[in-house]
Amino acid sequence: MVKNKTKILRFRKRGVSKIVMSIFIGAVLIVTAAFGFIVQSKNSKAATQSAKMVALRKETEDAQAIKNHQRIEYDIYNDMHNMINSVVIADDVRTKEEITEAKIASLTKEVTVSQFSDKDDVLAILNKWAAGDFTQADKDHNYVWGNLQGTVGVATGVDVAAIPKWAKVVAKAKKENSQ
């Protein structure tokens, strides 16, 4: 009977060892799976957050581009307005800037690459000025002034004596070449 008990004990020990080993392996698999799920979940959250950050950065860049476009458009209208103020007759003229060929050329380049909704109209004005034509300076002023939402200081005429000498020379040469 002692022999049988030893066999039973060995059998139980082996059975217990197999059960313990099975439980241990099962526990390792469960822990590994849980760890993998947690890592995957964090990666997924990180990927989602990264995508949100990219989208937010894109929105910010788009908003900045729009803001820069508006700032540039305002600045161009303002520069044009300050220059044309020097040759118009108006009740209230506050800022005058010398009209130069270089300034006109610079503004023309900026408007050419811009996306202004009235790009063609602005270029037509600048091209007239480049050709020395300020005969409609009052209308040009009021157009630009309107785009700046100006209400005081509407131009009522052109001060011919204030037109720059270079513009008179260019306009005269153009007139002589067309005859």
Side-chain angles (χ1 to χ4, degrees):
M1 194 139 179
V2 175
K3 238 179 176 187
N4 284 338
K5 268 189 169 181
T6 308
K7 283 184 180 179
I8 292 172
L9 285 175
R10 270 194 262 156
F11 178 73
R12 283 188 181 163
K13 282 183 183 178
R14 286 183 192 158
V16 171
S17 295
K18 287 181 181 179
I19 291 172
V20 170
M21 188 58 89
S22 296
I23 291 172
F24 178 73
I25 291 172
V28 168
L29 289 174
I30 290 172
V31 169
T32 304
F35 181 74
F37 176 76
I38 291 169
V39 169
Q40 179 63 29
S41 177
K42 284 184 179 181
N43 286 344
S44 176
K45 286 180 184 175
T48 301
Q49 200 161 12
S50 178
K52 286 180 182 177
M53 291 299 290
V54 168
L56 181 60
R57 187 176 303 123
K58 175 78 170 122
E59 287 177 25
T60 303
E61 288 171 358
D62 290 348
Q64 188 63 39
I66 290 169
K67 184 177 177 183
N68 287 343
H69 169 70
Q70 290 170 341
R71 185 192 64 75
I72 291 169
E73 188 170 355
Y74 173 84
D75 288 345
I76 289 172
Y77 285 136
N78 200 44
D79 289 348
M80 290 175 68
H81 175 251
N82 291 339
M83 286 193 306
I84 202 66
N85 269 349
S86 65
V87 296
V88 296
I89 299 167
D91 291 338
D92 187 13
V93 176
R94 297 179 186 174
T95 308
K96 292 181 180 181
E97 227 177 85
E98 182 182 2
I99 301 172
T100 68
E101 292 174 286
K103 286 180 189 175
I104 294 169
S106 176
L107 289 171
T108 301
K109 283 181 186 177
E110 288 183 83
V111 173
T112 300
V113 298
S114 76
Q115 296 177 4
F116 291 6
S117 58
D118 62 341
K119 179 178 180 173
D120 293 338
D121 295 332
V122 175
L123 284 173
I125 292 170
L126 290 168
N127 288 332
K128 281 192 303 186
W129 295 358
D133 182 0
F134 290 92
T135 57
Q136 296 181 343
D138 52 345
K139 291 176 182 67
D140 297 342
H141 169 276
N142 293 340
Y143 178 81
V144 171
W145 189 227
N147 284 329
L148 290 169
Q149 280 81 43
T151 55
V152 178
V154 174
T156 56
V158 179
D159 182 358
V160 178
I163 295 174
K165 290 179 184 177
W166 68 263
K168 291 176 182 175
V169 170
V170 169
K172 183 179 178 183
K174 186 175 179 182
K175 186 177 181 182
E176 288 172 357
N177 287 338
S178 66
Q179 292 178 354

